[in-house]
């Protein structure tokens, strides 16, 4: 079975979900790996599309049963993880698995896939712009914004461990640059 993966990691608010959504339209070989999370859905999110929304107990049961390739308590009391069944589901169809995961999760997935994965770090132009984007998204409470910003300085220091860094200042330019990097990666792994 051919395994190919592209993973996107970045501090929350950098724009990785926005970039992934744009790229999904270009590449019909992509399939998004739907993570499990113990947080509640945001307005507009649905179960089995954006995430598999699990109760904290159900998440814990699956951890005990070793159903996760990786999981992280990304924010205190909120866990996110990649189910092994999700990767099998996508690779069986010979599709390229697309991950949107935190920085630690990204590095763990890169270790698992090795050269079969392209690890992309999405860099915000600055911490100030990151904060503005998180606020303008309008989805987080003040507490959640502070939790997210609190992690970002540490996460930004991990960028050099990724295969490529894309600076997300102008969105069209960032999408184009990411698209070209991915095309090159896929050509080398037909
Ligand atoms: P992440 O998935 O990394 O948490 P999002 O994709 O949700 O981030 O983006 C955070 C916010 O910033 C969203 O409101 C999005 O529309 C906006 N955004 C993303 N990229 C850009 C950009 N290049 N310029 C301006 N705003 C952006
Ligand atoms: P959000 O709550 O904004 O959807 O996601 C919060 C953070 O959790 C983001 O950095 C996102 O990339 C990360 N995340 C989502 N799914 C996973 C996953 O399966 N594993 C890990 N390690 N992080 C994840």
């Amino acid at each position: 079975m051919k395994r190919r993966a592209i993973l996107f990691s970045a501090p929350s608010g950098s724009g990785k979900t926005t970039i992934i959504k744009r790229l999904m339209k270009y590449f019909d070989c992509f399939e998004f790996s739907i993570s499990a999370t113990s947080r509640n859905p945001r307005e507009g999110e649905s179960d089995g599309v954006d995430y598999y929304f699990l109760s904290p107990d159900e998440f814990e049961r699956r951890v005990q049963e070793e159903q996760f390739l990786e999981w992280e308590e990304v924010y205190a009391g909120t866990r996110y993880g990649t189910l092994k069944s999700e990767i099998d589901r996508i690779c069986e169809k010979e599709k390229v698995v697309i991950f949107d995961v935190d920085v630690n999760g990204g590095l763990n997935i890169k270790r698992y896939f090795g050269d079969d994965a392209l690890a992309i770090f999405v860099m915000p132009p600055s911490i100030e712009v990151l904060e503005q984007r998180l606020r303008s998204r309008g989805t987080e409470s003040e507490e959640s914004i502070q939790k997210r910003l609190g992690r970002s300085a540490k996460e930004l220091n991990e960028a050099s461990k990724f295969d490529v860094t894309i600076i997300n200042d102008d969105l069209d330019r960032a999408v184009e640059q990411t698209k070209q990097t991915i095309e090159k990666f896929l050509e080398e792994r037909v």
Side-chain angles (χ1 to χ4, degrees), residues 20 24 30-34 49-50 86 89-90 98 100:
I20 293 171
M24 297 299 283
F30 279 10
E31 187 146 343
F32 187 67
S33 167
I34 303 165
V49 178
D50 302 281
E86 191 61 10
R89 177 180 76 76
I90 298 171
I98 305 300
D100 172 344

Side-chain angles (χ1 to χ4, degrees), residues 16 35 39 42 51 70 72 80-82 100-102 148:
K16 61 190 178 317
S35 296
R39 78 156 164 77
R42 291 181 189 133
Y51 283 105
E70 62 79 35
E72 297 280 332
Y80 298 80
T82 305
D100 172 344
V101 291
D102 88 316
R148 283 158 198 264

Side-chain angles (χ1 to χ4, degrees), residues 7 33 52 56 86 99 103 113 137 150 158 169:
L7 57 98
S33 167
Y52 299 114
E86 191 61 10
F99 294 97
V103 170
F113 278 93
R137 191 169 72 188
E158 308 274 32
D169 41 13

